[in-house]
Amino acid sequence: MKIKYLASLAAIALLSTGVFIACATPEASKDNAATTTTVTKPDPCAAKKADPCAAKKADPCAAKSSSGASVGGPLAQKLQGKPVVVDVYASWCPACKNIAPTVSELKKEYDGKVEFVVLDVSDKTTTAAAEATAQELGLSKFLAENKTQTGSLTIVDPTTGKILAQHRNNADKMAYTKVLDAALTK
């Protein structure tokens, strides 16, 4: 009697922790057979296991919405007439190294048609030079807001300062050519 009672308590304890157990059926004890039954308990946390950050995770290569986004106003006169590609660059940045071949191809393909501006934030000296360049070109507000976004390429309409597209760590050349071609046909 005591053994049955203790076995029942042990089974209840194991079941309450969600552990699988093998129990001898009453018929098995009569026949001395080794029949076992596996008992499982449903996971009460299953519905809660969804990724709470799923809605916050975005494709890091996706373009940011350009609806209403601006670099702060029209760009300098010397940038007018051609779309402007602003590259926030750092020599230590893996994303910058990843997109470098794409940037090189874009520079060759759009030579004379598009202005390319590199804002190098690799260290204090290059950042100071980038800030001076940004000031001269009308990109001060943009650099202040995007200094930490190395590996990003931003396509800007120089007349309005409107951001047409902004990608980070996106080596897909088509993502840029689509926007640049549309801007050149205006």
Side-chain angles (χ1 to χ4, degrees):
M1 181 73 171
K2 287 183 182 180
I3 293 174
K4 269 188 168 179
Y5 178 72
L6 290 175
S8 296
L9 284 178
I12 292 170
L14 288 173
L15 281 174
S16 67
T17 61
V19 175
F20 297 101
I21 62 168
C23 302
T25 60
E27 293 79 26
S29 59
K30 289 179 185 174
D31 301 334
N32 291 329
T35 307
T36 59
T37 306
T38 303
V39 179
T40 60
K41 183 178 175 185
D43 183 359
C45 299
K48 297 177 185 176
K49 288 185 180 179
D51 185 356
C53 299
K56 296 177 185 175
K57 290 180 184 173
D59 181 358
C61 299
K64 286 186 179 179
S65 172
S66 59
S67 169
S70 171
V71 297
L75 301 184
Q77 186 61 38
K78 69 182 188 177
L79 295 177
Q80 295 300 314
K82 301 175 187 174
V84 177
V85 176
V86 183
D87 181 3
V88 180
Y89 171 84
S91 59
W92 46 261
C93 169
C96 298
K97 292 173 185 168
N98 182 48
I99 66 170
T102 303
V103 174
S104 180
E105 289 176 27
L106 289 171
K107 285 181 179 180
K108 287 177 189 172
E109 186 174 332
Y110 291 97
D111 185 36
K113 301 175 192 172
V114 173
E115 293 289 338
F116 288 86
V117 176
V118 177
L119 299 174
D120 187 345
V121 294
S122 297
D123 56 39
K124 288 182 182 182
T125 305
T126 60
T127 299
E131 288 170 344
T133 300
Q135 177 71 35
E136 176 188 335
L137 300 177
L139 291 165
S140 292
K141 178 184 176 221
F142 172 81
L143 181 59
E145 292 174 355
N146 292 278
K147 195 180 294 187
T148 61
Q149 301 302 309
T150 58
S152 67
L153 291 179
T154 305
I155 303 172
V156 181
D157 177 346
T159 308
T160 62
K162 181 181 177 191
I163 295 175
L164 303 175
Q166 186 172 33
H167 297 271
R168 186 163 189 213
N169 194 16
N170 186 355
D172 178 17
K173 184 178 152 189
M174 292 300 294
Y176 305 104
T177 58
K178 181 180 173 183
V179 175
L180 290 171
D181 290 344
L184 287 169
T185 59
K186 285 185 180 182

